[in-house]
Amino acid sequence: MVQEYKLLFAGGMGVGKTTAISAVSEIPPVSTDVANSDREAFDKELTTVTLDYGRITLPSGDRLRLYGIPGQQRFSFMWAMLEHGAMGMVLLADASRPDPFVELDIFLKAFSKLLRTGRAVLGVGRLSKRRGALDKYVAKLARRKIKIPVFSVDVRKKKDVLLLLDALFTQIEVLEEAYRSGEPSGKAAQSTSPAGDLANNPASDHANDKEPAKDGEASEKVAASASLADDLASGKEPPKGGVFPGKTVQSTNETTV
Amino acid sequence: MKPLSKIQATALQLRLNHCCARVPEIRLILLATVDGFQQVVAGSQRADAELPEKFAAIASSMMALGEAAGKEVGSKKRLEAVVLDLTDLRVILRMVGGGKQQFVLATVADRKVSLGVLLKIVYENARLLEEALC
Ligand SMILES: Nc1nc2c(ncn2[C@@H]2O[C@H](COP(=O)(O)OP(=O)(O)O)[C@@H](O)[C@H]2O)c(=O)[nH]1
Ligand SMILES: [Mg+2]
């Protein structure tokens, strides 16, 4: 049976939620962007005031519904509405902001319930090439007791957004497996999620680089995460067992950590 | 997006105050930017500490969602208004202006005022606001 899964794209104004969804959506995304009158908050022409909506059909026929939130806090009334029923979340941050962590913190708090289940990934855009630049983000998440993979990305590139989605599915799969086998999933996320590896390996801050990372192990781990991108490109079936394990818990209220 | 000038804001404020005084069933008239910042507010509910600010954001969201819905069902023209028919209240959101000065005019009224009369008031206000914007 074809399944539908709802995924949320969150993060502050200008981090690239709308850009990310339009990079991967197979339909012209539903956009609610209007003229931005707050150029001080972020200097861009348009801003999202309700939602973004896009869709991806997987080779299995399952569908991903991608919802983007409006990033400004005055639209926070939309956040809970959009979060409802989301299976996972792609959280985005913009490292070039004057204080990216203060902004990130708003979303870590607002979506803490979903984030603490581990069904999420963090993509950091415009990150400096300095080795270990991602570490601060990993530490920030750890302080908030959130264990999710962190990547350096440029969401204007389809392959980077697919990488985030693939990491998210892997993360969900690990959690589901742990859930089924009765293991405390928090422990599973800790031991098997890519987060730890990436965090401990600055060489993986490479998604923005043209050249793949030199470090063999790190690049391999990221390359392995590109399977969804490959599947979508080649139209072949997702990895054995499916990208989504059998019956995925769709309620965000289910806390497994 | 060009913000309202002081003179424009004052003219609009007078106009909206006058309208609320004339039709006491109108609780709130609010002019917001299309991205949800309140510009001018009139009516008894304006005194509510947070309502106008929050409602400005909600009004812009609903307007944009209305526009997206219209596009989805094949409308080729711009959205003029969104009507919320609550059992005790009516809310009409009307797009005002264009180009670099586009706003959402939100009007909240008791249901004692018929929909036809309320629409007439809203469209008349929109016309006068557009004149003031020129
Ligand atoms: N230079 C640069 N620009 C980016 C990067 N990621 C996103 N952008 C740009 O940043 C803007 C993000 O805008 P948007 O998608 O509307 O952000 P939203 O508010 O999160 O929906 C767009 O103009 C993107 O092209 C990046 O990694 N580098
Ligand atoms: Mg957006």
Side-chain angles (χ1 to χ4, degrees), chain A residues 55-68:
Chain A
R55 199 186 69 204
I56 298 177
T57 305
L58 297 175
S60 61
D62 289 347
R63 281 179 167 183
L64 311 181
R65 294 163 163 268
L66 314 176
Y67 287 82

Side-chain angles (χ1 to χ4, degrees), chain A:
Chain A
M1 204 185 74
V2 171
Q3 302 247 39
E4 304 250 356
Y5 299 96
K6 176 176 178 179
L7 300 178
L8 200 63
F9 282 69
M13 182 183 191
V15 293
K17 302 173 294 292
T18 302
T19 306
I21 289 175
S22 50
V24 294
S25 177
E26 67 197 10
I27 54 167
V30 173
S31 153
T32 59
D33 277 21
V34 300
N36 170 28
S37 66
D38 192 8
R39 292 295 181 99
E40 262 170 44
F42 200 97
D43 192 12
K44 60 173 186 160
E45 200 77 34
L46 299 174
T47 184
T48 309
V49 293
T50 317
L51 53 77
D52 303 299
Y53 173 73
R55 199 186 69 204
I56 298 177
T57 305
L58 297 175
S60 61
D62 289 347
R63 281 179 167 183
L64 311 181
R65 294 163 163 268
L66 314 176
Y67 287 82
I69 66 159
Q72 304 94 314
Q73 243 177 324
R74 66 182 179 284
F75 294 115
S76 57
F77 65 92
M78 285 300 304
W79 299 355
M81 273 191 244
L82 292 170
E83 185 188 8
H84 186 81
M87 182 190 61
M89 174 162 141
V90 174
L91 181 60
L92 297 173
D94 174 358
S96 71
R97 300 287 286 162
D99 199 342
F101 296 103
V102 170
E103 198 178 76
L104 180 62
D105 221 26
I106 293 170
F107 297 93
L108 296 184
K109 281 184 192 149
F111 295 99
S112 64
K113 214 168 182 182
L114 178 55
L115 287 165
R116 285 192 182 161
T117 66
R119 295 187 174 89
V121 289
L122 173 64
V124 184
R126 302 165 173 98
L127 196 72
S128 84
K129 299 259 164 80
R130 212 165 27 82
R131 281 174 78 88
L134 273 186
D135 290 358
K136 280 186 186 163
Y137 289 85
V138 176
K140 176 88 202 169
L141 293 176
R143 276 199 298 280
R144 291 252 170 247
K145 299 190 171 44
I146 295 166
K147 296 165 195 149
I148 58 173
V150 185
F151 293 90
S152 165
V153 290
D154 180 343
V155 293
R156 294 170 302 175
K157 295 180 188 153
K158 183 175 179 176
K159 94 172 166 30
D160 279 21
V161 184
L162 291 177
L163 172 101
L164 285 174
L165 290 175
D166 197 56
L168 177 59
F169 304 145
T170 308
Q171 176 79 351
I172 291 169
E173 200 166 12
V174 167
L175 290 166
E176 290 305 311
E177 217 124 275
Y179 185 72
R180 274 199 304 268
S181 65
E183 214 181 301
S185 51
K187 208 172 132 212
Q190 202 168 17
S191 57
T192 50
S193 98
D197 300 323
L198 288 165
N200 297 330
N201 201 331
S204 59
D205 303 10
H206 85 298
N208 271 336
D209 299 353
K210 290 268 180 323
E211 292 293 312
K214 293 285 182 295
D215 186 302
E217 212 193 330
S219 63
E220 226 170 72
K221 285 200 192 308
V222 177
S225 295
S227 59
L228 176 73
D230 296 343
D231 291 343
L232 287 168
S234 66
K236 81 174 194 287
E237 281 294 315
K240 216 169 144 208
V243 173
F244 298 100
K247 210 161 174 47
T248 307
V249 182
Q250 291 196 46
S251 164
T252 59
N253 298 328
E254 183 116 5
T255 308
T256 55
V257 171

